[in-house]
Amino acid sequence: MGEFELIRKYFAAAPCAQGGEGIALGIGDDCALLAVPPGEQLAISTDTLVAGVHFADPCDPFLLGQRSLAVAVSDLAAMGAHPLAFTLALTTPTVDADWLQRYAQGLNTMALSCGVGLVGGDTTRGPLSLTLTVFGRVPAGLALTRSGARPGDLLCVGGELGNAAGALPLVLGQRSAEASIAEPLLAHYWSPQPQLALGQALRGKATSALDISDGLLADCGHIAKASSVSLLIERQKLPLSAPLLAFLGDEGARDAALSGGDDYVLAFTLPPAELAPLLADGWPIHVIGCVAPGQGVVLLDAAGQDVTPVIHGYQHFRETL
Ligand code: ADP
Ligand code: MG
């Protein structure tokens, strides 16, 4: 099978590649064309997943298809953008029909659930890696950036933390757990649900936002830096799931929530007056701290003592910097 046959069979023919709202031209030409309404801006983000770095190889290609798109679309959620489309640059060592079929099915499932259409990409031979670029639209001036947090704002998250980090030893085969624990944790890892609706509901309300991909402490550090403020996190207030607590215990679950990556839950800052109406509308918002003058992230224990750990999240190339 040649490159063009592969593209046609597995990607151009997928239901998610048949166009949709905002897609003026999809796969098949030199460029796709997207339509952005007047007064809106295009939000763009790229993520690369490399075999052996971002996912174990081999792994289930259907799950990889879901996850590779979810982590990219999560960045649109973090900006409060409405999803439009995505491209896929696939580098693969071999043409494995079964693998491609199941990868494309996982991708398609997540694309339909997020409302993004596949509009193009690139297909090359080499070590397995996936680069997905997502496109969304957001009313001009209303995108949720990292730089607007102000002292006095509440620090909030959009759901339970640490589940994906809890799943990692299960994914890597280092530990096992009974199904009632393993299944919900693995579902968070393999099929994170980008918080698109929450991101859009926070437009004009949250003063800053991001999606937690590298761990709460590390990602809050990005908001603190971009906004020139300090973020205070109360360790006792972290929302934790019952399966995570059962698997790791209270201390372990809190550590997973603070330092583990891959949650893809939104973290954001909110003026106090905005909280009650959002909660009344049923949004899953948990207040975990506040914004203060200063810089950096401070972790406080139940007694209000500073227990900030030194190591924050995962960084590529850390050893060379
Ligand atoms: P070009 O040589 O003009 O860059 P290609 O021959 O690489 O174009 O691709 C042909 C068409 O197929 C383009 O529309 C491209 O966006 C699309 N395409 C290539 N690879 C993929 C893929 N993995 N998934 C979806 N679309 C793809
Ligand atoms: Mg071309």
Side-chain angles (χ1 to χ4, degrees):
M1 184 187 314
E3 172 189 337
F4 297 112
E5 171 71 358
L6 183 161
I7 295 168
R8 190 193 61 71
K9 188 165 177 193
Y10 298 107
F11 298 110
C16 68
Q18 306 314 306
E21 181 227 325
I23 299 172
L25 184 64
I27 293 176
D29 217 308
D30 293 307
C31 290
L33 298 173
L34 300 182
V36 180
E40 302 215 4
Q41 293 172 322
L42 197 57
I44 305 170
S45 173
T46 290
D47 278 289
T48 294
L49 279 75
V50 177
V53 178
H54 300 94
F55 59 93
D57 184 29
C59 69
D60 183 324
F62 180 90
L63 297 175
L64 182 63
Q66 286 196 332
R67 183 165 184 273
S68 60
L69 181 57
V71 304
V73 171
S74 180
D75 286 316
L76 294 179
M79 294 298 283
H82 178 91
L84 289 174
F86 71 104
T87 60
L88 166 68
L90 168 68
T91 302
T92 175
T94 53
V95 176
D96 176 339
D98 183 52
W99 191 96
L100 285 165
Q101 176 92 42
R102 291 201 292 139
Y103 177 79
Q105 282 169 351
L107 196 71
N108 186 65
T109 299
M110 187 56 71
L112 296 181
S113 107
C114 293
V116 279
L118 177 59
V119 294
D122 200 16
T123 305
T124 51
R125 186 189 294 271
L128 180 61
S129 95
L130 308 156
T131 296
L132 289 95
T133 302
V134 291
F135 303 85
R137 59 179 172 81
V138 63
L142 287 187
L144 304 173
T145 66
R146 300 176 173 192
S147 56
R150 290 177 302 230
D153 288 345
L154 303 171
L155 175 62
C156 307
V157 292
E160 290 158 345
L161 304 174
N163 287 330
L168 204 54
L170 302 170
V171 172
L172 298 176
Q174 295 164 344
R175 279 189 70 180
S176 59
E178 59 189 68
S180 65
I181 290 175
E183 280 172 10
L185 296 182
L186 287 168
H188 278 273
Y189 181 87
W190 282 117
S191 186
Q193 301 297 317
Q195 296 195 292
L196 288 161
L198 176 60
Q200 290 167 44
L202 293 175
R203 283 180 195 158
K205 299 188 170 84
T207 50
S208 70
L210 49 63
D211 62 322
I212 303 171
S213 54
D214 297 331
L216 180 70
L217 289 172
D219 286 319
C220 282
H222 298 316
I223 292 182
K225 188 162 190 211
S227 300
S228 301
V229 292
S230 174
L231 298 191
L232 309 185
I233 301 175
E234 294 182 52
R235 191 174 160 85
Q236 285 311 109
K237 289 196 177 167
L238 303 174
L240 304 168
S241 73
L244 186 71
L245 285 164
F247 189 45
L248 297 183
D250 188 81
E251 281 299 297
R254 276 174 216 285
D255 287 342
L258 289 163
S259 301
D262 296 326
D263 273 326
Y264 301 104
V265 165
L266 298 189
F268 49 96
T269 56
L270 203 60
E274 303 286 359
L275 179 65
L278 286 164
L279 288 175
D281 285 343
W283 294 108
I285 297 176
H286 305 264
V287 178
I288 61 163
C290 65
V291 183
Q295 58 182 8
V297 178
V298 178
L299 182 65
L300 302 171
D301 69 9
Q305 294 292 313
D306 182 341
V307 290
T308 313
V310 178
I311 296 165
H312 289 177
Y314 181 78
Q315 276 187 44
H316 299 267
F317 308 116
R318 169 169 256 162
E319 69 282 3
T320 61
L321 293 176

